Amino acid sequence: MRIAVFSAKPYDRTFITRANAGERHSLSFLEARLTADTAPLANGFDAVCAFVNDCLDATVLEQLHNGGTRLVALRSAGFNHVDLATAERLGITVVRVPAYSPHAVAEHAVALVLSLNRMTYRAYNRVREGNFALDGLLGFDLHGKTVGVIGTGHIGLIFADIMHGFGCRVVASDPFPSPAAKSFVEYVPLATLFASADIISLHCPLTPETHHLINADAIAQMKEGVMLINTGRGRVVDTQAVIAGLKSGKIGRLGLDVYEEEEQLFFEDLSQGVIDDDQFMRLTTFHNVLITGHQAFFTAEALTNIAETTLANIDAFESGSGTMHRVVSAK
Ligand code: NAI
């Protein structure tokens, strides 16, 4: 098949080319993000391969359909950026990579917890400048603290396991409690989780129900000085409310790998220009905020799985046999 690979970075090219053994598909790597402006680049391609910040709304899907595209192969687990109803109406099949390395994301969430707790990012800079003072670096023992996990799917359960290993108590909230959850995971109502957790980590998908799940009302129910970690999706958190929580001290530490308006920022080198997002820049001024640019998934194992599953999805679509991880709208 002829495939247009959007938002292609050098590492995508490396791993996807490796997975395309025998050059069985014809791949065109495009640096551009998929939008209504760039969709015409896919004219004549059977399939479009897209990542998390590519736009697959009704307008773009209509354009792809008119250009002959029959398959959208997502290189992600999340599919909140795809208008599935429109794709189905147009006869475009949408496939995804359901779980590529839940360990990668869970481990990154733990990295944010550890760095924020002991402020290693501040210590690094201080020591390089010959400043060995410890003021401002005070952490707390993780042992004995309560960790709240929102969303106990693949990633949330691994995060829970690791935190349990530190000696934390784990409370969790999920409308569908997992049968795979170990006995130490205590499912509690969300309000109980907010009120009892010292650290809250978000591992639920973005859905209409989880949009701004963490808003002013939720923050008001949390413990004073709570640590909040988001490696899920940016829009699960109301950024304005979180900034207010940081200013008041209610939120003591904030770790983000995803951000509400990240489509305009992440995955690009914007260091030579002006960042025109005042809300994001405000976040970067807090010493107790650590932001990474959607890199939680970024391990060699995850990129290998993403590339291999994506190519297997495309093989299955083309041949009509084998496993295809199809996404359909919840009607
Ligand atoms: P999963 O589908 O295995 O688990 C998601 C869990 O969230 C499910 O158990 C589901 O019942 C639960 N959930 C749904 N609505 C909820 C609600 N209102 N409150 C609490 N829980 C709710 O997904 P997985 O693989 O664990 O991934 C979780 C999320 O992590 C993805 O949806 C994606 O948004 C994000 N992600 C982020 C990455 C990154 O690089 N930062 C990479 C991969 C995924």
Side-chain angles (χ1 to χ4, degrees):
M1 289 180 75
R2 292 195 64 210
I3 303 155
V5 184
F6 279 87
S7 299
K9 301 291 180 199
Y11 45 83
D12 293 310
R13 186 184 288 262
T14 303
F15 284 87
I16 295 172
T17 302
R18 198 179 292 159
N20 187 30
E23 297 185 17
R24 56 195 191 279
H25 299 290
S26 162
L27 304 170
S28 290
F29 291 96
L30 307 168
E31 282 179 30
R33 189 163 81 83
L34 177 59
T35 64
D37 291 335
T38 61
L41 294 171
N43 279 351
F45 284 84
D46 310 300
V48 156
C49 183
F51 198 47
V52 286
N53 288 336
D54 287 315
C55 173
L56 288 147
D57 64 9
T59 309
V60 170
L61 288 167
E62 293 274 3
Q63 288 172 284
L64 295 178
H65 174 69
N66 292 338
T69 297
R70 295 174 291 130
L71 175 71
V72 169
L74 301 174
R75 307 198 290 282
S76 59
F79 48 86
N80 51 278
H81 53 312
V82 186
D83 183 335
L84 290 174
T86 301
E88 274 164 39
R89 181 172 57 77
L90 297 171
I92 296 178
T93 301
V94 180
V95 292
R96 67 174 181 136
V97 183
Y100 33 89
S101 174
H103 295 279
V105 184
E107 288 170 13
H108 190 76
V110 176
L112 291 176
V113 170
L114 294 173
S115 307
L116 275 166
N117 181 20
R118 309 306 288 266
M119 303 251 171
T120 47
Y121 52 97
R122 296 189 81 187
Y124 172 80
N125 285 324
R126 282 193 193 182
V127 169
R128 282 165 68 94
E129 291 185 4
N131 176 359
F132 304 104
L134 299 182
D135 315 70
L137 303 181
L138 189 66
F140 56 85
D141 284 12
L142 288 172
H143 186 270
K145 295 296 181 299
T146 299
V147 173
V149 181
I150 300 185
T152 53
H154 296 94
I155 297 169
L157 283 185
I158 294 171
F159 177 80
D161 256 2
I162 301 173
M163 297 313 290
H164 178 69
F166 281 118
C168 295
R169 173 184 170 221
V170 179
V171 294
S173 165
D174 193 313
F176 305 100
S178 171
K182 305 233 175 89
S183 57
F184 59 77
V185 177
E186 294 171 45
Y187 282 99
V188 295
L190 197 53
T192 310
L193 184 151
F194 287 151
S196 58
D198 302 289
I199 299 167
I200 296 176
S201 194
L202 307 174
H203 299 289
C204 55
L206 176 64
T207 64
E209 292 74 41
T210 63
H211 183 265
H212 284 189
L213 182 73
I214 304 301
N215 55 19
D217 179 48
I219 293 167
Q221 298 174 54
M222 294 177 191
K223 276 187 163 177
E224 202 63 28
V226 65
M227 183 192 294
L228 180 65
I229 305 290
N230 188 10
T231 59
R233 281 291 178 266
R235 290 189 173 85
V236 175
V237 168
D238 176 347
T239 311
Q240 280 302 349
V242 157
I243 289 173
L246 285 161
K247 284 162 88 172
S248 72
K250 182 81 173 178
I251 298 176
R253 290 167 164 86
L254 175 69
L256 300 180
D257 186 54
V258 288
Y259 167 65
E260 271 198 284
E261 305 297 334
E262 69 176 54
E263 293 83 353
Q264 307 307 322
L265 302 173
F266 287 2
F267 306 122
E268 303 303 328
D269 178 359
L270 305 180
S271 59
Q272 305 302 317
V274 172
I275 294 185
D276 187 22
D277 182 332
D278 293 351
Q279 192 173 251
F280 182 83
M281 294 315 287
R282 180 69 181 99
L283 278 177
T284 65
T285 65
F286 295 100
H287 297 306
N288 50 354
V289 173
L290 179 53
I291 307 177
T292 52
H294 209 136
Q295 71 170 82
F297 73 100
F298 198 57
T299 65
E301 289 80 359
L303 289 190
T304 302
N305 284 341
I306 291 171
E308 288 179 353
T309 307
T310 298
L311 268 293
N313 276 335
I314 294 167
D315 290 343
F317 174 82
E318 189 180 34
S319 67
S321 65
T323 305
M324 183 169 76
H325 300 284
R326 190 168 183 179
V327 195
V328 290
S329 63
K331 279 186 257 181

